[in-house]
Amino acid sequence: MANLIFNVKPKTKGSVKNRPFFFVQINRFDRKKKIRNSCLHPALFLVALLAGTAHSENGSRLWLRYVPLEDTALTMYRGRITQVVIPKTQPFTTVREELISALRTLLAKEISVVSSPSQDGALIAGTPDTCPLISSSVTASELEALGDEGFVLRSTTLNGYSVTLLAGNTPRGILYGAFCLLRFIQTGHSIDIFDLHQKPKIQKRLLNHWDNLDGSVERGYAGRSIWNWNDLPKKIDPRYKDYARANASIGINGTVLNNVNAQAQILTTEYIRKAASAAEALRPWGIQIYFSVKFTAPVEIGGLATSDPLDPGVQLWWIEKAKEIYSHIPDFGGFLVKAYSEGQPGPQIYGRSHADGANMLAKAVAPFGGIVMWRSFVYDLSIDTDRTKCAFLEFVPLDGKFAPNVLVQTKNGPVDFQPREPFNPLFGSMPATPLMLELQITQEYTGQAQHLVYLAPQWKEVLDSDTYAKGPGTTVAKIVDGSAEGYLLSGIAGVCGIGTEKNWTGHHFSQANWYAFGRLAWDYTLSSEQIAEEWIRMTWSGDQKTVNQIKKMMSGSWEACVDYMTPLGLHHLMAEGHHYGPQPNFVHPVREDWSSTYYHKADSGGIGFNRSSAGTNAVGQYFPPLRQLWDDPQTCPEIYLLWFHHLPWDHRLGSGLTIWQALQAHYQRGVDYVQFMQDTWDALDGKIDKQRYEHVCQLLTMQLKNAIQWRDTCLNYFGGFANPIAKKQTDN
Ligand code: GCW
């Protein structure tokens, strides 16, 4: 729907006034006027496709393409891996097959599987239980430090042969280590003389699917749901394995199969059976499954008269339900709950709190090691008229009241996955509760599957934000990984937009966000650039020049999106419903906080939401010194200025520009960047396989059009307030 609307060219007929506001295009700033309809005529496109079949790629192999290395790259690994020692027993089958087939393809040669090393270049993989060579080469304390998921990769000498050791405590650790080694080889990283110890920083690393049981995907832009509920449990789509393998390769260890706007049906025996067979396909890759559950399930499918969490009958229903689930899915992960938010029911219906609800579910799954992820995405405006304050006001008083196996799952910012938000003030304010970070991989508010927007820098900004909760250095990352308070239970979730499209994510570059999420969940200290470089080398090309060009495109793409959509701390200017294009004049007939005007508050007096101590005092929910710094427009970072302040149009920034001039500059900068991405991609013609190259070409053309539309629509609208003021000043 969104895309259709956006594709429509402004008609010449009819009154401009009668058209939705965002159709109006003003090319005032369109200096280069280089907007093409497509890189290639459709007929030529077809010819190119047919001609290039041998080299055409559809993106379905993601970053696991395992392209045979070219001669120069091969020299680097010559003699390094010639044979593999790995257990032949069941839990190692997955990793053994992956490792051997990948090595044979990448290194273009026979790799023999042997029971003990007989020449230089043996790769010895296993746990101390399966392989005595491991216990003799890796100390017990080294192994202990690795935990269940870690691994050691080490070049060493054994029985006189130079070998590579891949050791861990579990098959899962070996699987992650194998993918690490394969990544090194695919990205031209040396595997000589290294001694690498790795384990994930965060325990539960989950994708959240917002997939409905009818196959539709809320905020999904890549086709239908990959979960074929109609075919399950009998038919297992081969894509489940591909999905699980891709996730394992980046360290993701769990997935919530269904939408947080949940249907009670998922808890029926029929669906539990279906889910159990999907779980079987994912298990070999270390992926546990979880359900989003509807709080009123006991009434809806259990035939009870109430779903009150303090009612013993309701408690028993959940206990029995958990038993049933675990009898089919012994490694079931647990429940995710959206309660009392956007129409979803919650314990509040019965006058109970979030903690009452969460703890009832937690008790049911606790005997099996399950967890409950209770979302803090609530904004009941009767609690406070500033939406950003609501979750804090509801949840902070409950700190310490949640059972130990409950995580409070919290979005990165206090509104809703906007292009940029300050971090959510709940981080640091609930020390007695483990908080799970929820990020959005599907680009609901950042151009969906049409725009190239690499989100790792956004996530890094959040993770690296200092909350000052326990003094300087208490970053969001340290709260999320549990280290700030010493929690063992920790989690991070990424709302994914994976669907039935061949390339999984719609835009080939949206795959990078899936990849980056996994890599950051494993180790948030990795830089966005490093992650991008790995991904590009595995996904597009190993040619350094090409890699550098694509990396340049990606690195500034998020900031560009912020610039052309919502610069200087603006937020939620998106059109209603689909959240794709701009609609700054939108006023919702019923809910004030679903209106764009509620967020920007532009009028002749200025622009921005006054959340300072003189306004709603949302800034007071942050710890000092942020509270003071952000309270004062002179010290508030420009990136959050209009988030916290309502300022006159002629207010001067540090740069000497007025707010109005700065807004114009940002919107233009965003457009220029998209133009730069398009020019850079154009120059890569011939360096990238045709099919994917052309697809990205077309999307960049669309993105440029859209960026211009964003700029023009917003500046046209805000100019209505700002220009008379600017004019008055020039006249004076
Ligand atoms: O981002 C908003 C989306 C809703 C979503 C909700 C949530 C699943 O617009 O589609 O519902 O947030 O996170 O619960």
Side-chain angles (χ1 to χ4, degrees):
M1 173 69 178
N3 307 342
L4 288 179
I5 291 177
F6 236 78
N7 275 328
V8 175
K9 277 193 192 159
K11 292 191 181 103
T12 38
K13 275 194 211 153
S15 153
V16 164
K17 270 191 204 143
N18 292 337
R19 280 187 250 135
F21 197 78
F22 56 91
F23 283 0
V24 182
Q25 261 192 312
I26 305 157
N27 283 328
R28 221 167 4 138
F29 295 93
D30 187 12
R31 290 190 309 232
K32 296 194 181 171
K33 286 245 163 78
K34 198 190 164 202
I35 306 158
R36 298 143 315 161
N37 283 328
S38 139
C39 288
L40 208 61
H41 186 276
L44 288 178
F45 181 53
L46 194 68
V47 172
L49 260 186
L50 293 174
T53 318
H55 304 291
S56 74
E57 294 209 34
N58 58 17
S60 60
R61 290 184 295 159
L62 295 159
W63 49 87
L64 296 174
R65 290 160 62 246
Y66 295 149
V67 177
L69 298 187
E70 283 168 11
D71 288 349
T72 34
L74 267 181
T75 347
M76 191 169 165
Y77 302 109
R78 187 145 296 143
R80 295 300 311 150
I81 300 181
T82 54
Q83 50 181 211
V84 179
V85 182
I86 189 167
K88 291 197 171 122
T89 45
Q90 184 44 22
F92 291 91
T93 311
T94 306
V95 56
R96 195 183 63 242
E97 286 175 359
E98 181 74 21
L99 198 55
I100 290 163
S101 85
L103 287 173
R104 284 180 180 158
T105 315
L106 284 167
L107 303 177
K109 63 176 179 192
E110 262 317 295
I111 304 268
S112 50
V113 186
V114 294
S115 46
S116 63
S118 56
Q119 61 190 51
D120 281 344
L123 168 66
I124 303 166
T127 61
D129 301 342
T130 62
C131 182
L133 291 173
I134 298 288
S135 351
S136 63
S137 331
V138 187
T139 67
S141 65
E142 278 180 318
L143 283 165
E144 200 190 324
L146 297 176
D148 282 352
E149 296 185 300
F151 60 86
V152 176
L153 268 172
R154 174 179 294 162
S155 303
T156 184
T157 311
L158 263 183
N159 304 342
Y161 299 122
S162 62
V163 302
T164 304
L165 278 184
L166 164 50
N169 293 311
T170 61
R172 178 108 66 97
I174 306 302
L175 182 65
Y176 293 145
F179 276 120
C180 176
L181 181 71
L182 294 173
R183 182 167 59 243
F184 281 167
I185 297 175
Q186 284 169 281
T187 56
H189 194 292
S190 165
I191 58 166
D192 281 342
I193 325 166
F194 59 60
D195 188 11
L196 180 79
H197 295 235
Q198 274 199 16
K199 65 176 180 183
K201 294 204 184 312
I202 299 174
Q203 197 194 359
K204 310 280 179 189
R205 305 176 299 281
L206 267 59
L207 291 187
N208 283 185
H209 285 258
W210 284 356
D211 295 18
N212 300 313
L213 303 184
D214 67 0
S216 59
V217 182
E218 183 157 347
R219 311 302 176 189
Y221 313 103
R224 307 271 298 164
S225 170
I226 57 167
W227 312 120
N228 298 319
W229 293 106
N230 288 338
D231 294 345
L232 288 167
K234 286 206 180 109
K235 198 173 147 209
I236 297 289
D237 190 317
R239 278 203 127 195
Y240 295 178
K241 177 186 161 192
D242 299 337
Y243 164 89
R245 188 173 151 251
N247 279 321
S249 77
I250 49 176
I252 287 170
N253 63 7
T255 185
V256 182
L257 298 181
N258 61 317
N259 192 354
V260 287
N261 289 331
Q263 289 163 276
Q265 232 180 320
I266 189 93
L267 291 170
T268 57
T269 306
E270 184 194 354
Y271 273 83
I272 293 171
R273 287 219 172 95
K274 288 170 186 279
S277 75
E280 226 169 274
L282 308 186
R283 187 169 296 121
W285 302 91
I287 313 288
Q288 281 180 281
I289 66 156
Y290 298 74
F291 290 159
S292 291
V293 295
K294 190 165 183 184
F295 201 73
T296 44
V299 171
E300 285 189 41
I301 57 162
L304 302 192
T306 176
S307 295
D308 182 349
L310 299 195
D311 181 289
V314 174
Q315 294 172 358
L316 189 65
W317 188 86
W318 283 105
I319 287 171
E320 292 302 321
K321 191 44 80 182
K323 272 191 201 152
E324 183 189 353
I325 296 173
Y326 280 94
S327 72
H328 291 272
I329 313 167
D331 57 350
F332 181 72
F335 297 139
L336 170 64
V337 193
K338 171 174 178 178
Y340 219 50
S341 167
E342 297 185 336
Q344 287 298 301
Q348 291 78 358
I349 306 177
Y350 308 100
R352 315 296 183 197
S353 72
H354 289 293
D356 294 331
N359 294 348
M360 171 191 61
L361 298 177
K363 198 172 157 195
V365 292
F368 309 97
I371 58 164
V372 170
M373 298 157 291
W374 193 269
R375 294 176 93 222
S376 65
F377 179 65
V378 292
Y379 52 103
D380 175 353
L381 290 201
S382 69
I383 292 176
D384 196 284
T385 53
D386 179 354
R387 170 171 168 177
T388 64
K389 290 170 68 184
C390 297
F392 185 101
L393 294 172
E394 258 194 79
F395 275 84
V396 171
L398 298 173
D399 190 28
K401 302 212 163 95
F402 290 96
N405 58 334
V406 175
L407 288 143
V408 169
Q409 182 166 316
T410 299
K411 289 189 182 180
N412 57 279
V415 171
D416 186 14
F417 300 137
Q418 293 305 294
R420 172 178 264 138
E421 301 190 29
F423 70 86
N424 196 315
L426 278 174
F427 291 108
S429 295
M430 294 187 65
T433 313
L435 291 201
M436 182 157 174
L437 173 62
E438 180 177 311
L439 299 169
Q440 198 183 47
I441 305 171
T442 190
Q443 297 165 231
E444 176 181 356
Y445 292 96
T446 50
Q448 300 170 8
Q450 313 295 320
H451 292 199
L452 190 170
V453 180
Y454 175 51
L455 289 171
Q458 183 200 53
W459 302 335
K460 287 287 288 183
E461 184 170 288
V462 177
L463 287 158
D464 292 345
S465 291
D466 198 342
T467 67
Y468 293 91
K470 298 181 84 182
T474 325
T475 57
V476 169
K478 288 195 173 148
I479 290 157
V480 173
D481 76 3
S483 62
E485 299 296 338
Y487 290 119
L488 290 179
L489 180 61
S490 61
I492 185 164
V495 177
C496 63
I498 292 164
T500 49
E501 293 262 311
K502 286 216 165 62
N503 72 3
W504 301 88
T505 52
H507 199 309
H508 291 292
F509 274 86
S510 299
Q511 295 178 358
N513 293 330
W514 178 7
Y515 181 84
F517 170 77
R519 297 289 287 132
L520 286 174
W522 179 272
D523 181 2
Y524 55 74
T525 66
L526 295 172
S527 71
S528 320
E529 292 73 24
Q530 181 186 332
I531 297 172
E533 168 121 13
E534 287 173 8
W535 177 78
I536 298 164
R537 284 179 173 278
M538 293 190 285
T539 307
W540 295 105
S541 163
D543 168 55
Q544 192 58 53
K545 249 179 148 177
T546 307
V547 172
N548 291 347
Q549 294 301 87
I550 300 181
K551 203 159 64 169
K552 257 194 237 159
M553 291 169 64
M554 290 168 73
S555 65
S557 59
W558 166 57
E559 197 67 55
C561 172
V562 174
D563 275 336
Y564 67 70
M565 288 188 180
T566 51
L568 294 176
L570 287 173
H571 46 291
H572 223 302
L573 306 181
M574 291 78 192
E576 205 245 338
H578 55 68
H579 295 163
Y580 183 66
Q583 203 176 2
N585 63 342
F586 176 68
V587 180
H588 194 275
V590 183
R591 281 205 66 149
E592 199 197 355
D593 61 321
W594 287 350
S595 310
S596 302
T597 51
Y598 166 87
Y599 293 99
H600 63 66
K601 300 201 187 304
D603 56 21
S604 55
I607 179 168
F609 200 130
N610 186 355
R611 297 188 172 111
S612 72
S613 52
T616 67
N617 199 28
V619 75
Q621 293 182 339
Y622 292 90
F623 287 90
L626 298 181
R627 188 183 288 178
Q628 290 79 13
L629 284 172
W630 294 356
D631 195 34
D632 179 350
Q634 299 307 324
T635 50
C636 180
E638 277 185 17
I639 52 172
Y640 304 140
L641 198 57
L642 302 178
W643 185 282
F644 287 110
H645 299 279
H646 185 83
L647 296 168
W649 295 103
D650 55 1
H651 172 89
R652 291 222 175 258
L653 304 177
S655 59
L657 297 180
T658 65
I659 290 272
W660 175 227
Q661 288 164 341
L663 274 181
Q664 293 173 82
H666 276 281
Y667 275 107
Q668 185 56 43
R669 200 171 75 173
V671 171
D672 288 346
Y673 199 90
V674 181
Q675 180 71 70
F676 156 77
M677 291 200 291
Q678 194 183 44
D679 293 343
T680 309
W681 190 255
D682 277 357
L684 292 176
D685 195 3
K687 303 272 182 207
I688 307 277
D689 50 280
K690 265 284 176 246
Q691 190 177 348
R692 291 189 300 164
Y693 174 78
E694 289 299 339
H695 191 203
V696 173
C697 260
Q698 288 168 7
L699 290 170
L700 283 169
T701 302
M702 164 91 79
Q703 185 171 358
L704 183 57
K705 265 190 195 174
N706 290 174
I708 288 169
Q709 222 153 358
W710 264 97
R711 177 198 66 193
D712 293 345
T713 305
C714 293
L715 291 183
N716 189 27
Y717 175 78
F718 293 135
F721 304 111
N723 279 330
I725 293 172
K727 186 169 180 308
K728 226 194 232 158
Q729 282 184 342
T730 342
D731 292 350
N732 288 339

